[in-house]
Amino acid sequence: MTTLVLVSHPHLADSTSQQFLKASLPANEDIIWEHIESQPTLDVAKEQDQLRHADRIILQFPLYWYAAPAGLKQWEDTVLTRTFVYGDHRYPLADKELGIVVTTGMPGKAFQRGGAEQITLDAALAPLAAVAERAKMTWLPIFAIHQFAYLEEPEKLQLVVDYQRYLTQEQPDSLGDRQAWFAQRLPEMIKQLPPEQQATGRLIEAEFSQQKDDIDALADTLSLIKEQEDD
Amino acid sequence: MTTLVLVSHPHLADSTSQQFLKASLPANEDIIWEHIESQPTLDVAKEQDQLRHADRIILQFPLYWYAAPAGLKQWEDTVLTRTFVYGDHRYPLADKELGIVVTTGMPGKAFQRGGAEQITLDAALAPLAAVAERAKMTWLPIFAIHQFAYLEEPEKLQLVVDYQRYLTQEQPDSLGDRQAWFAQRLPEMIKQLPPEQQATGRLIEAEFSQQKDDIDALADTLSLIKEQEDD
């Protein structure tokens, strides 16, 4: 799967959250990363080619006034020509996934009726969802990072994994898809360990595999019970 | 009342609707008109001063991808600093009216669930409404112009009057406010008529005034009836 990450930020070098996310990009994956504002002029043909080539497109930006920064809107207004998106009833972006990674300076609970911001992220980003709808793309649940500056180290480690999964894991984010994603990456991670920890690594892998089998068995039992209830 | 009209359009000279609206600006009114993209760099202090000075602020633009063009977002991201809008719990824009004049290339009925666009203009422009909310401004109902190119001459004439009222008439757009708006402008309009039409003009003024009295009388009767019903 090819993932295209389009980052919009007017001062990328000054953004600790964006630098953190850049350093968190998964290695050994087919990921194209691009910073929109770094380009002196947008090469429309190149941008459209990148979109055509990608299976998952991620728009990543800080929330400014309940929307993406002007740079991303400029990209939309320039690259997403009508002809490209739905001209002649051809939809080159159809069935591709559109994901949003948005950072905000407020806690998550601010984005609800009665909260400090009085608007949900879903409502604020509805125009982007409408673009996805128009292009016949599949909208992924928004990946929001609130108040990055206040995250503790364990939360940041969790963020790395969640972010990598958002970029590369099969959707929907089901237990099975999550297990498969970890199982695929575990052997590679263990290989990177220093020799004295290899044995521990292999034990973790065996334990993970055992747990996966246990969960599968439990899930099977559960569906059997459900079937009988339905009778 | 001072009205500030901020127009965002990347190619203003090529836009027949924007040129029409510019020609329709009411004369003899306290209106400041500005084209955002015409300015090489945004003078933040000047823009903020203009906002402070205005009673009604109109954002006027074509709908691109369910939002304002990048130029307006750039203006928001640059001019509307946090310090300016709500720093130190001071709200310099509080109680000012924010109006939106938006042109679209689709018929009005496209902007609803089940319509071609699947999103209402209210939902698409919710981020701007959230800005108004944050700044403690009063949000005016959106003034939408659909498919300007297809308007017939009588519809265009109606548009001129409706647009002028949106810019300068007291809100809400009640019958009383509308009558007052016309009554105030009628003598000036009649003065502009050629001499041979002055008599007709004065007859229209008298008729208008008579109708207004009739309506007022009817309204009084109506509220009397309602009062009795409530007893």
Side-chain angles (χ1 to χ4, degrees):
Chain A
M1 185 177 76
T2 303
T3 303
L4 172 63
V5 182
L6 294 168
V7 181
S8 174
H9 196 296
H11 316 287
L12 193 71
D14 302 337
S15 164
T16 52
S17 57
Q18 292 300 334
Q19 294 302 326
F20 179 88
L21 292 177
K22 194 177 175 188
S24 304
L25 287 173
N28 310 317
E29 307 271 357
D30 190 5
I31 291 178
I32 298 163
W33 182 94
E34 182 183 288
H35 177 225
I36 290 172
E37 284 87 347
S38 289
Q39 303 175 78
T41 51
L42 285 166
D43 181 339
V44 174
K46 184 203 115 188
E47 294 290 324
Q48 292 182 348
D49 272 348
Q50 278 186 165
L51 291 170
R52 271 193 210 93
H53 179 64
D55 303 299
R56 182 173 297 171
I57 295 150
I58 304 285
L59 304 177
Q60 180 175 312
F61 52 84
L63 193 73
Y64 288 172
W65 289 124
Y66 314 102
L72 185 70
K73 191 67 198 345
Q74 186 66 48
W75 178 89
E76 288 180 68
D77 292 357
T78 313
V79 175
L80 301 182
T81 61
R82 276 191 229 187
T83 320
F84 173 65
V85 177
Y86 58 88
D88 295 329
H89 299 284
R90 287 161 59 248
Y91 293 85
L93 304 178
D95 300 327
K96 295 178 189 294
E97 293 164 320
L98 184 67
I100 307 289
V101 175
V102 62
T103 63
T104 87
M106 301 288 282
K109 64 181 165 56
F111 294 95
Q112 57 183 315
R113 189 168 296 153
E117 298 292 7
Q118 297 278 0
I119 186 172
T120 64
L121 285 177
D122 267 2
L125 301 176
L128 284 173
V131 173
E133 171 97 18
R134 201 73 169 92
K136 299 189 188 288
M137 300 175 82
T138 301
W139 177 259
L140 299 185
I142 293 169
F143 187 90
I145 303 167
H146 299 290
Q147 300 189 304
F148 175 81
Y150 302 148
L151 294 188
E152 306 283 347
E153 212 49 44
E155 294 167 316
K156 283 189 181 172
L157 286 174
Q158 183 67 50
L159 175 58
V160 172
V161 176
D162 290 345
Y163 178 64
Q164 292 194 349
R165 293 199 300 109
Y166 193 70
L167 264 48
T168 61
Q169 183 190 295
E170 286 296 311
Q171 288 284 337
D173 186 13
S174 65
L175 187 60
D177 285 341
R178 204 151 41 205
Q179 282 178 340
W181 189 87
F182 280 110
Q184 208 184 321
R185 276 149 193 83
L186 209 47
E188 188 58 39
M189 286 164 68
I190 291 162
K191 261 193 251 167
Q192 313 266 327
L193 291 173
E196 68 275 16
Q197 292 183 11
Q198 291 275 341
T200 318
R202 277 192 298 272
L203 280 175
I204 291 175
E205 191 181 2
E207 177 66 23
F208 185 85
S209 175
Q210 180 59 49
Q211 283 184 359
K212 187 173 175 325
D213 290 345
D214 291 350
I215 290 172
D216 286 347
L218 282 169
D220 286 346
T221 312
L222 206 62
S223 46
L224 268 177
I225 294 171
K226 274 195 187 152
E227 266 173 38
Q228 287 166 352
E229 276 175 353
D230 288 346
D231 279 345
Chain B
M1 186 177 75
T2 302
T3 303
L4 173 62
V5 182
L6 293 169
V7 181
S8 174
H9 195 295
H11 314 288
L12 193 72
D14 301 338
S15 164
T16 51
S17 56
Q18 292 299 334
Q19 293 303 325
F20 179 87
L21 292 177
K22 193 176 175 189
S24 304
L25 286 173
N28 310 317
E29 306 272 356
D30 190 4
I31 291 179
I32 299 162
W33 182 95
E34 182 183 287
H35 177 225
I36 290 173
E37 286 86 346
S38 289
Q39 303 175 76
T41 51
L42 285 166
D43 182 339
V44 174
K46 185 202 113 188
E47 294 291 323
Q48 292 182 349
D49 272 349
Q50 278 186 165
L51 291 170
R52 270 192 210 94
H53 178 66
D55 303 298
R56 180 173 297 171
I57 295 150
I58 304 286
L59 305 177
Q60 180 174 312
F61 52 82
L63 193 72
Y64 288 171
W65 289 124
Y66 313 102
L72 185 70
K73 190 69 199 342
Q74 186 66 49
W75 177 89
E76 288 180 69
D77 292 356
T78 313
V79 175
L80 301 182
T81 63
R82 276 190 228 187
T83 320
F84 174 64
V85 177
Y86 58 88
D88 295 328
H89 298 284
R90 287 160 59 248
Y91 293 85
L93 304 178
D95 300 328
K96 295 178 188 296
E97 293 164 320
L98 184 67
I100 307 288
V101 175
V102 60
T103 63
T104 89
M106 301 288 282
K109 66 183 165 55
F111 294 95
Q112 56 183 315
R113 190 168 295 154
E117 298 292 6
Q118 297 279 0
I119 186 173
T120 63
L121 285 177
D122 266 1
L125 301 176
L128 285 174
V131 173
E133 172 95 18
R134 201 74 170 89
K136 298 188 187 290
M137 299 174 82
T138 301
W139 177 258
L140 299 184
I142 294 170
F143 186 91
I145 304 167
H146 299 290
Q147 300 188 303
F148 175 81
Y150 301 149
L151 294 188
E152 306 282 347
E153 211 48 44
E155 294 167 317
K156 284 190 180 172
L157 286 175
Q158 183 67 49
L159 175 58
V160 172
V161 176
D162 290 345
Y163 178 64
Q164 292 194 349
R165 292 199 300 109
Y166 193 70
L167 264 48
T168 61
Q169 183 191 295
E170 286 297 310
Q171 288 282 339
D173 186 14
S174 64
L175 187 61
D177 285 340
R178 204 150 43 206
Q179 282 178 340
W181 189 87
F182 280 110
Q184 207 184 323
R185 277 148 192 84
L186 209 47
E188 187 58 38
M189 287 164 67
I190 290 162
K191 260 194 249 166
Q192 312 265 327
L193 291 173
E196 68 275 18
Q197 293 182 12
Q198 292 275 342
T200 318
R202 276 193 297 275
L203 279 176
I204 290 175
E205 191 179 2
E207 177 65 23
F208 184 85
S209 174
Q210 179 60 48
Q211 284 184 359
K212 186 173 177 321
D213 291 345
D214 290 351
I215 289 171
D216 286 347
L218 282 169
D220 286 347
T221 311
L222 207 60
S223 46
L224 269 178
I225 293 172
K226 276 194 187 154
E227 267 173 39
Q228 287 166 351
E229 277 175 354
D230 287 347
D231 280 345

